[in-house]
Amino acid sequence: MDTKQLITAAINALEYSYAPYSNFKVAAALLTKDGRIFTGCNIENASFTPTNCAERTAFFKAISEGIYDFEAIAIVGGKDGVLNDYCSPCGVCRQVMMEFCNPDTFQILMAKSSEEYKQFTLKELLPEGFGPGNMGKEKNR
Ligand code: THU
């Protein structure tokens, strides 16, 4: 995996963040097992609840094109798009990852720059997660 390329893709997607209410801009770059990258940004709403996180935007773009095999996701975010801190994926996004990724192998990169990042497996961020296996599904499609 080219971590620098993946994080750079996430940083470049920050410009599309639609966050007029929080001004907290987030972007993600999702790497498929065949080497493609799907980017996503947060998309807020005046009614708040319909807001979609950057990570889920990236996943839903890929899933909606029939892609189900994922290797890693890079996440960047901060107030006004300034990357002062690591942006951790919210619980809902971790649960969506659990639906489509192997928790033992899927990698989550939280980055402040293309060189400064922390890396975890999904299992580390969502231990004892509930997924398709708990519903008797071996495969999620
Ligand atoms: N946000 C994300 O896009 N991803 C996360 O994992 C954390 C939160 C967005 C949602 C909202 O637009 C803003 O950050 C503040 O919560």
Side-chain angles (χ1 to χ4, degrees), residues 9-10 19 27-29 33 41 48 56 68 70 87 98 104 115 129-130 133:
K33 283 190 179 160
C41 62
F48 288 8
R56 276 177 288 144
Y68 279 77
F70 305 111
C87 182
M98 187 72 199
D104 292 307
E115 269 121 37
F130 186 86

Side-chain angles (χ1 to χ4, degrees), residues 11-59:
I11 291 171
N12 289 340
L14 267 178
E15 77 168 283
Y16 304 117
S17 163
Y18 178 75
Y21 306 104
S22 72
N23 294 311
F24 194 91
K25 293 174 184 269
V26 185
L30 178 62
L31 178 66
T32 67
K33 283 190 179 160
D34 63 3
R36 277 184 279 180
I37 293 175
F38 287 84
T39 58
C41 62
N42 57 334
I43 305 169
E44 296 189 343
N45 191 282
S47 184
F48 288 8
T49 317
T51 292
N52 205 53
C53 289
E55 300 90 318
R56 276 177 288 144
T57 303
F59 268 94

